[in-house]
Amino acid sequence: MAVERTLSIIKPDATKRNLTGKINAKFEDAGLRIVAQKRIQLTPAQAGVFYEVHKERPFYGELCDFMASGPVVVQVLQGEGAIAKNREVMGATNPADAAPGTVRADFAESVGENSVHGSDAAETAAKEIAYFFSGLELVG
């Protein structure tokens, strides 16, 4: 399996509960390395650009407002099969369906406030990483 990079976002519901360290420990315990990280506050417009793929979906406005409701931690995870590994560690979008021990099973408050975001494919990861980070910020 190839070494990959993927974007991870710790969402406002998790940052407001001070869960960044606990969530990062799950990623690191799974063999993923954090090679870039920063805490930022998105505007609704910035969240809208990032989640543009969902623009036609009924939850788009609510998602953008939620992502701008508080600080987020954006980070790049690296490792063998990082995209699939990150998605495994995150768990199912609906915390009720997430496997025990996953981020969403342990920390998500609802389907909408599900604590984390992760890229779903290599092409998406490249685009999402470039949205938040310059090449100089990726170290590891």
Side-chain angles (χ1 to χ4, degrees):
M1 198 172 278
V3 173
E4 298 174 325
R5 287 182 173 166
T6 189
L7 184 81
S8 168
I9 301 176
I10 300 176
K11 295 180 179 182
D13 62 297
T15 62
K16 79 177 177 187
R17 290 180 288 141
N18 208 28
L19 296 173
T20 301
K22 290 178 181 177
I23 291 171
N24 282 342
K26 287 184 178 285
F27 294 138
E28 292 178 332
D29 289 348
L32 296 168
R33 175 185 296 273
I34 300 167
V35 297
Q37 182 182 67
K38 56 189 166 186
R39 185 179 180 97
I40 61 172
Q41 176 77 48
L42 292 170
T43 66
Q46 290 166 327
V49 171
F50 182 77
Y51 284 108
E52 190 170 25
V53 67
H54 298 303
K55 193 169 191 168
E56 302 304 319
R57 300 181 102 169
F59 60 82
Y60 174 74
E62 184 179 335
L63 173 62
C64 295
D65 289 343
F66 167 63
M67 291 300 291
S69 70
V72 297
V73 174
V74 292
Q75 54 195 11
V76 179
L77 306 177
Q78 179 177 296
E80 294 282 331
I83 296 166
K85 178 63 71 177
N86 180 37
R87 296 188 71 74
E88 178 185 323
V89 173
M90 288 191 310
T93 302
N94 183 342
D97 299 332
T102 62
V103 172
R104 289 177 173 149
D106 290 353
F107 304 123
E109 296 184 312
S110 67
V111 173
E113 295 186 8
N114 60 21
S115 298
V116 287
H117 164 91
S119 304
D120 61 2
E123 302 78 27
T124 309
K127 181 180 175 185
E128 290 180 346
I129 290 168
Y131 187 76
F132 291 110
F133 295 96
S134 75
L136 292 174
E137 294 174 295
L138 303 173
V139 294

